[in-house]
Amino acid sequence: MCGIVGYLGEKDAKKHVMEGLRRLEYRGYDSAGIAYYDEAKADHLVFKEKGRLENLAGLLPEGGSQAAIGHTRWATHGRVTKENAHPHESHDGRFIVVHNGIIENHKALAEEYLAGIPRKSATDTEIIASLLGHLAKGKDVAGAFRQVLDLLEGSYALLLMDREHPDILYAAKKKSPLLIGQNGRDTIIASDLTALCAAATDYLALEDGSIVTIDERGFSVRDGQGKAVRPVLSPVDKAYAETDKGVFDHYMLKEIHEQPAVLRRITAEYFDQETPRIRKDISAMLQKAKRLHILAAGTSMHAGIVGKALFENLARLPTEVHIASEFAHHPPLLEAGSVFLLISQSGETADLRASLEIVKEKGFPSLTLTNVKTSTLAREADKYLEIFAGPEIAVASTKAYTAQIAVLAILAFALGDGGFSLRKELALAAQGIENHLQDHKMYSGIVAGHLKKPHAFYIGRGLDYAVALEAALKLKEISYIHTEGFAAGELKHGTIALIEEGIPVIALVTEKRTAAHTRSAIAEVESRGADVLVIATENVAEKEDGIRLDTVHPLLTPLVCVVPTQLIAYYAALQRGTDIDKPRNLAKSVTVE
Ligand code: M6R
């Protein structure tokens, strides 16, 4: 998804902005651009290019600058072209803008204020720049900026340069994340903590309506009413600065390997000895719930399906899981006593934000479970909880999924009667994952042997079905093999017609109660020629099963069972030569509906 970075300070602004953009690459983008004030030429220069950041870097001349703004674009309004890439300039050339978000009324604004003014791009952002050019004539820039912002409907994180005042940058935020960081007299501003953490020591997550002025003395913030805000900065968590891949070839493989450590960190954060440590206000909110509604998308939604089983089994709390993009436009009948739990790694997913608007409108309490405590959903819901997975850079979510499940388990356990040591069971799961990861290279052979067709199936029952859905998503999103996750018992009701000689069917068997039934489904597909690979925990494994996992608590099997499926996806993508960490057409946080 789009990313923005700006810098004003004593060091090389162009270098800092390019480094920030490089750190935002993981979010997904299709073009990039930068504008900076070139000291030698005493002019603002603008460069943009389609494709990877290297293409843009190749265009940049030598030469210092103390102010720069940059952008990575993921096309929404207008095709992927150099013209549509940001920065955009006003028709008179005075203002230069980068923008994340969507201006919903851009057509109406163009008709009302900019009739007859030629356009260079098909973007909504160019309208913002030209509106400024139009309205700033003879006025102070800050006043004109506020006037333009008042006209905009939709979402924005904006950075603005004025050719007449090269020593000032302006920024504004509404419904799109924007963080401002400081390091002495240097100010860096970005849409994501990873982009500013290397350059800044402290930061502030801006509130909606904020307008920021940045100059050589630092920055000042005004709220939506124009009142000065005294910024309270937090120290930057340097974990976000460590974005190298270490000994691994890809972030995804690194993040898969981080899962045992993440589970241990979660246990340390959320337990006092055997007792879960959940904030009292959050426990109280959940204890009052008559029904829990989980809202999420993609992998987080799959974690939510596991969450349903955890809340219903451990806390006896009836729970529904909703695909956020469906809930946002077709909310079901909701009874009094409903509580909403939003699960989102990034905390920025637009479908969830649209759903949260409905939840708030109807007056239901809400809690966000996220990996990014500075995120919009963390701030917009009534309360939030962190999953402590650390920065997840690969687009394909892995460690966030297991972290979400672990925190859901702790929450559900805290609401229930306990009866066993969840802390110990999570430790066993972490150990089980660690044991299995030691042999991760064997997946190269497993994948070469089994995944020879452009289609594949994952099957399972109960929690294994939940993992089958996630496994199928992982395989298709990074290897582009068409994969479906099916409830094993449902195959015979139609889908079995697709089974032919050599079709890979990967069966997940960890549930004792239904293992025999899943084995029947395996026999059915095998007798129709499927190439079956069974992933089973030791307690239900049979001699010929291809992959065996340590036995863990029956409600925590997804934590270990998902790991082989992540490795299958990884090695399948590796063998197909796809861009594993940045799969085509996908973005790390999906901030458009
Ligand atoms: O940041 P979120 O957890 O809200 O993101 C939801 C989905 O977009 C995300 O899980 C997506 O499905 C991933 N690409 C899966 O690997």
Side-chain angles (χ1 to χ4, degrees):
M1 211 47 46
C2 303
I4 59 178
V5 186
Y7 176 95
L8 195 145
E10 291 172 341
K11 305 194 187 78
D12 185 353
K14 185 173 55 160
K15 197 174 123 223
H16 275 296
V17 167
M18 287 302 286
E19 169 60 16
L21 293 179
R22 193 189 62 70
R23 288 170 169 272
L24 288 181
E25 277 193 291
Y26 78 98
R27 293 168 62 98
Y29 66 104
D30 43 47
S31 53
I34 187 168
Y36 62 93
Y37 182 69
D38 186 295
E39 314 285 337
K41 293 197 171 71
D43 193 11
H44 285 85
L45 304 184
V46 179
F47 296 92
K48 34 201 204 176
E49 197 47 274
K50 285 199 296 182
R52 293 285 189 229
L53 217 50
E54 296 89 81
N55 304 349
L56 175 68
L59 302 177
L60 303 183
E62 293 295 317
S65 58
Q66 290 185 339
I69 57 176
H71 190 266
T72 47
R73 173 174 189 255
W74 195 81
T76 54
H77 286 75
R79 294 171 61 79
V80 181
T81 61
K82 185 171 164 177
E83 291 69 34
N84 287 337
H86 299 214
H88 289 284
E89 295 177 72
S90 54
H91 58 287
D92 58 0
R94 177 173 169 189
F95 294 103
I96 309 167
V97 173
V98 292
H99 164 222
N100 280 1
I102 290 180
I103 304 306
E104 285 153 11
N105 59 338
H106 69 105
K107 282 196 184 127
L109 290 173
E111 275 164 26
E112 188 172 345
Y113 294 95
L114 305 172
I117 290 180
R119 291 185 58 180
K120 294 187 202 122
S121 78
T123 66
D124 49 348
T125 306
E126 190 186 348
I127 302 295
I128 305 174
S130 286
L131 276 174
L132 268 159
H134 181 64
L135 294 172
K137 282 196 186 84
K139 286 199 194 126
D140 76 301
V141 177
F145 192 29
R146 184 168 293 279
Q147 202 183 341
V148 169
L149 296 175
D150 286 344
L151 294 174
L152 305 180
E153 285 168 20
S155 58
Y156 52 77
L158 279 170
L159 296 182
L160 166 69
M161 281 182 135
D162 175 5
R163 283 183 193 269
E164 291 184 9
H165 298 281
D167 48 354
I168 303 180
L169 295 182
Y170 299 92
K173 174 212 162 3
K174 184 180 158 199
K175 293 188 185 168
S176 273
L178 195 59
L179 306 144
I180 187 153
Q182 211 171 28
N183 188 354
R185 291 162 80 101
D186 300 340
T187 304
I188 182 149
I189 188 155
S191 50
D192 187 316
L193 193 54
T194 46
L196 57 74
C197 57
T201 51
D202 301 275
Y203 77 100
L204 167 77
L206 293 165
E207 295 296 333
D208 273 358
S210 301
I211 300 186
V212 185
T213 308
I214 305 162
D215 60 26
E216 59 186 4
R217 288 163 300 167
F219 68 89
S220 58
V221 184
R222 292 196 173 268
D223 68 12
Q225 283 68 51
K227 262 191 20 220
V229 174
R230 220 183 109 247
V232 182
L233 304 186
S234 310
V236 168
D237 178 353
K238 284 297 172 189
Y240 278 85
E242 289 156 21
T243 52
D244 73 276
K245 297 184 208 124
V247 297
F248 299 98
D249 291 336
H250 296 91
Y251 286 111
M252 182 182 178
L253 193 59
K254 177 178 179 245
E255 288 159 6
I256 290 172
H257 278 78
E258 284 170 354
Q259 292 177 110
V262 169
L263 292 188
R264 289 178 186 126
R265 169 146 193 222
I266 289 169
T267 312
E269 295 283 349
Y270 280 111
F271 276 98
D272 280 327
Q273 304 294 337
E274 297 298 322
T275 315
R277 189 174 44 228
I278 303 291
R279 267 181 26 209
K280 284 208 177 73
D281 56 334
I282 293 180
S283 305
M285 177 171 127
L286 291 169
Q287 264 150 4
K288 277 189 227 135
K290 297 234 168 0
R291 188 172 290 275
L292 184 66
H293 293 271
I294 293 178
L295 299 170
T299 291
S300 298
M301 198 270 294
H302 296 150
I305 298 175
V306 178
K308 172 180 164 70
L310 290 165
F311 281 106
E312 295 195 334
N313 282 282
L314 294 175
R316 314 308 297 167
L317 175 59
T319 304
E320 311 296 332
V321 184
H322 307 272
I323 296 173
S325 55
E326 284 297 307
F327 181 94
H329 302 284
H330 310 93
L333 283 177
L334 296 166
E335 68 266 62
S338 292
V339 171
F340 283 81
L341 173 60
L342 292 85
I343 308 178
S344 175
Q345 187 283 130
S346 63
E348 300 297 342
T349 302
D351 296 325
L352 271 103
R353 294 184 55 203
S355 301
L356 183 57
E357 264 180 41
I358 294 173
V359 169
K360 286 167 103 173
E361 231 171 67
K362 293 185 187 287
F364 292 112
S366 55
L367 164 68
T368 293
L369 188 64
T370 183
N371 200 24
V372 186
K373 67 176 178 193
T374 55
S375 64
T376 310
L377 285 164
R379 281 179 298 119
E380 286 181 351
D382 297 329
K383 301 176 194 305
Y384 79 89
L385 276 178
E386 239 185 303
I387 59 165
F388 296 106
E392 191 180 64
I393 306 291
V395 165
S397 186
T398 53
K399 62 176 179 170
Y401 171 81
T402 38
Q404 286 162 346
I405 291 173
V407 179
L408 289 168
I410 296 169
L411 262 186
F413 183 80
L415 294 179
D417 302 332
F420 67 100
S421 167
L422 179 61
R423 197 184 54 77
K424 187 170 140 227
E425 296 298 341
L426 285 170
L428 289 173
Q431 191 56 54
I433 297 173
E434 206 157 70
N435 294 342
H436 195 67
L437 284 173
Q438 286 178 6
D439 297 328
H440 74 92
K441 288 196 176 131
M442 75 178 179
Y443 280 89
S444 183
I446 289 174
V447 162
H450 286 282
L451 295 184
K452 296 183 205 137
K453 302 260 178 182
H455 307 279
F457 293 93
Y458 272 98
I459 61 169
R461 286 172 186 260
L463 287 175
D464 294 334
Y465 169 47
V467 177
L469 295 174
E470 171 54 13
L473 175 64
K474 210 75 344 170
L475 186 55
K476 67 184 132 187
E477 76 177 324
I478 62 165
S479 75
Y480 316 146
I481 294 173
H482 167 232
T483 317
E484 300 296 336
F486 266 93
E490 186 67 7
L491 269 184
K492 59 184 177 294
H493 297 291
T495 308
I496 201 163
L498 295 174
I499 302 298
E500 54 185 45
E501 201 58 38
I503 285 284
V505 175
I506 305 175
L508 309 178
V509 191
T510 71
E511 195 180 73
K512 210 166 184 180
R513 194 156 45 100
T514 56
H517 288 87
T518 304
R519 299 269 176 202
S520 306
I522 292 171
E524 280 162 17
V525 293
E526 244 167 3
S527 64
R528 285 158 182 86
D531 176 358
V532 174
L533 171 67
V534 177
I535 300 174
T537 42
E538 289 292 353
N539 58 329
V540 290
E542 293 187 356
K543 208 166 69 245
E544 60 282 1
D545 291 345
I547 297 168
R548 298 165 82 109
L549 300 162
D550 289 0
T551 303
V552 295
H553 188 283
L555 286 171
L556 299 181
T557 54
L559 294 177
V560 290
C561 188
V562 77
V563 176
T565 72
Q566 295 168 341
L567 291 167
I568 286 171
Y570 175 80
Y571 279 98
L574 195 65
Q575 283 168 19
R576 294 180 146 233
T578 61
D579 192 347
I580 295 181
D581 286 332
K582 296 187 211 97
R584 69 183 179 206
N585 305 336
L586 293 178
K588 183 65 184 164
S589 52
V590 184
T591 53
V592 288
E593 268 196 79

